[in-house]
Amino acid sequence: MSASVFIATSLDGFIARPDGALDWLPTDPEPHGYDEFMARIDSIVIGRKTYEIVLAFDAWPYGKKQVVVLSTRPSELAPPPANAVCHMMAGTPQEVVAWMAKRGLKHSYIDGGITVQRFLDAGLIQRVTITRIPVLLGSGIPLFGPLAHDVRLEHIGTRSYPSGLVQSEYAIAG
């Protein structure tokens, strides 16, 4: 089981406004590898806050891929859309990965600030792709937070796009 992050941040490192809003993201960004990334994964792990934000989208963005929604109170979550394949659970990153591996899932997309931080801290992420959007928010939900130990990264590559997006990909060293 491998896990990757593919995420956008403001130039000052925020993945969302303090209230979770994503209105600062480009509405029509040029192709930057997201579709190709999604084609390589078979599952998504998100936290409750990310799930609630995604539920407000016009359409469910994950198709028929297995989505694991993490919450300390999974029974209190709003139901997923009819076409979604969701499993609500509480547990450590290790327990989540074990549950997914038992079901034959191979490559998971880890999304959401706290979820990414917990999986990084547990040493369960192998690749991180960060697309920096040329905007400063000043405050919001940070991508990274406190970790119990350093996480060393190996730079794979950086690409820039005409719109000003700058995307860097890293492998977790070790």
Side-chain angles (χ1 to χ4, degrees), residues 11-47:
L11 197 57
D12 49 355
F14 298 108
I15 61 171
R17 293 192 186 279
D19 65 358
L22 301 172
D23 60 320
W24 54 275
L25 289 171
T27 55
D28 191 24
E30 70 263 71
H32 60 281
Y34 181 76
D35 292 338
E36 294 81 0
F37 171 76
M38 289 298 286
R40 292 189 311 263
I41 60 113
D42 57 14
S43 55
I44 297 109
V45 178
I46 57 177

Side-chain angles (χ1 to χ4, degrees), residues 2 23 40 44 51 53 56 58 64 78 113 132 137 148 152 163:
S2 65
D23 60 320
R40 292 189 311 263
I44 297 109
Y51 175 70
I53 290 167
D58 291 336
K64 296 289 184 188
R132 290 175 303 285
L137 299 179
R152 301 276 181 206
S163 66

